[in-house]
Amino acid sequence: MTRCLLVAVISLLCSLSAVSSPVGYVHASQGSVTVRHAGKTSSEPIEMDDPLENGDVVSTGQNSWVILSMQDGASLTLRAQTQLRIEEYRYRPQQPEEGRSWLSLLTGSLRSVTGAIGQRHPASYQLKTPQLTIGIRGTDYEVMAIMDDSADAELEAGTYAGVHDGEIELQQDGDMLTVGPEQEAFASTKRTGLQLDRRGRLRERLSRFDRQVNLGEVLSQLHNRRGQGFGLDLDRQPRLEQMRQARREARQQQRQQRVKDARDFHPREGKGRRR
């Protein structure tokens, strides 16, 4: 009886630990980047090393971007005026078959480089946009969702998708389209149907933005550094977490020091003011 109770308690604690552990972190960002946590009505700013949880909606402002490093080694890059909801993300190295990466791109553009989940169990990965669902096969791809014709003077409203490496599979109302390297596809908000887009509009648009904000160089450097956003190196994960925690604590101490300095410089009325 006692042993059974002990096993149950240990199982519960392990379950709670898995639920409460972050599903990813902010790897790098520029400009205005916020998160709205599940059950909350307002958003708050986030910065490098801040943790992410299931249900979070990450948003970027104008001329802003953020790179998210997920727990299975995947990397998600959100460009300007993008909203991404983390529906359900879980990965346990000891039980890779139970991993799941479910995401929703509400609007804007995303670059996704899959990690262990997409590489070992592609069926456990899906990204939804308002027009379609994307599945993958060990992939590095781009997707952009434009919800209203008035939101973009150059492009028709809909979902655009393009592949750098691997393949993606687009699904819409029973239709399916496979998109390979250097190919692009499009699904309109006005009509059903998936079609290859041979004009290269997505890549041209995103390359232009990357040049404007120097994001292309950041992504190139990140691609070459396995274990930090692209790929999963289990031996490095504890050390990376220690580094993130140390940087978070250092920033918190800096904030507290700035608040203290401000209070010392502007003491309460009646006690005089430093000159």
Side-chain angles (χ1 to χ4, degrees), residues 34-271:
T34 62
V35 62
R36 187 178 76 244
H37 297 297
K40 303 292 185 179
T41 58
S42 60
S43 300
E44 59 187 55
I46 52 175
E47 56 187 8
M48 187 176 71
D49 298 320
D50 282 350
L52 301 166
E53 307 288 347
N54 282 319
D56 283 354
V57 176
V58 181
S59 303
T60 57
Q62 188 173 7
N63 296 324
S64 303
W65 54 263
V66 63
I67 299 174
L68 310 179
S69 180
M70 309 306 288
Q71 63 182 180
D72 71 325
S75 181
L76 306 172
T77 301
L78 284 61
R79 291 180 175 85
Q81 297 176 313
T82 294
Q83 287 189 334
L84 175 76
R85 181 166 56 229
I86 304 172
E87 303 288 0
E88 185 176 0
Y89 214 109
R90 66 170 186 260
Y91 179 73
R92 301 186 185 95
Q94 296 78 13
Q95 298 171 301
E97 69 280 358
E98 295 184 5
R100 178 171 292 180
S101 173
W102 285 1
L103 308 166
S104 291
L105 180 64
L106 307 179
T107 187
S109 61
L110 167 74
R111 181 169 181 173
S112 171
V113 178
T114 56
I117 295 174
Q119 293 168 4
R120 300 176 185 176
H121 295 277
S124 298
Y125 176 101
Q126 69 173 23
L127 182 139
K128 288 189 174 183
T129 78
Q131 281 74 48
L132 49 81
T133 299
I134 297 177
I136 51 90
R137 300 174 186 172
T139 306
D140 175 358
Y141 74 97
E142 308 265 16
V143 58
M144 179 167 60
I146 302 174
M147 296 310 302
D148 190 329
D149 282 329
S150 63
D152 194 304
E154 299 180 21
L155 297 177
E156 178 184 349
T159 295
Y160 297 77
V163 177
H164 294 283
D165 184 53
E167 289 183 342
I168 59 175
E169 201 169 71
L170 310 184
Q171 300 179 33
Q172 182 192 65
D173 299 329
D175 292 335
M176 188 175 297
L177 177 66
T178 299
V179 184
E182 307 304 319
Q183 290 185 323
E184 295 184 13
F186 172 67
S188 174
T189 61
K190 301 176 182 178
R191 57 190 180 275
T192 59
L194 303 168
Q195 61 188 53
L196 288 176
D197 186 353
R198 304 185 187 280
R199 287 170 285 182
R201 294 176 292 179
L202 174 65
R203 185 158 300 169
E204 190 279 331
R205 167 60 58 83
L206 299 182
S207 296
R208 188 194 316 167
F209 174 82
D210 291 351
R211 290 192 298 269
Q212 290 174 350
V213 299
N214 298 319
L215 179 58
E217 183 178 349
V218 175
L219 289 176
S220 295
Q221 293 175 355
L222 196 56
H223 272 203
N224 295 328
R225 294 199 334 244
R226 301 288 295 180
Q228 287 195 20
F230 290 84
L232 182 65
D233 186 339
L234 295 179
D235 293 333
R236 293 194 61 187
Q237 293 309 303
R239 194 171 20 163
L240 287 174
E241 175 54 30
Q242 291 176 357
M243 293 168 57
R244 294 185 185 111
Q245 183 62 31
R247 288 194 294 256
R248 287 196 295 267
E249 292 175 354
R251 285 199 301 272
Q252 181 64 23
Q253 291 175 358
Q254 291 172 355
R255 295 190 193 102
Q256 292 173 349
Q257 187 61 48
R258 285 196 295 268
V259 171
K260 181 178 182 299
D261 291 344
R263 288 174 178 171
D264 289 344
F265 191 79
H266 299 291
R268 295 179 181 176
E269 293 183 7
K271 293 185 178 181

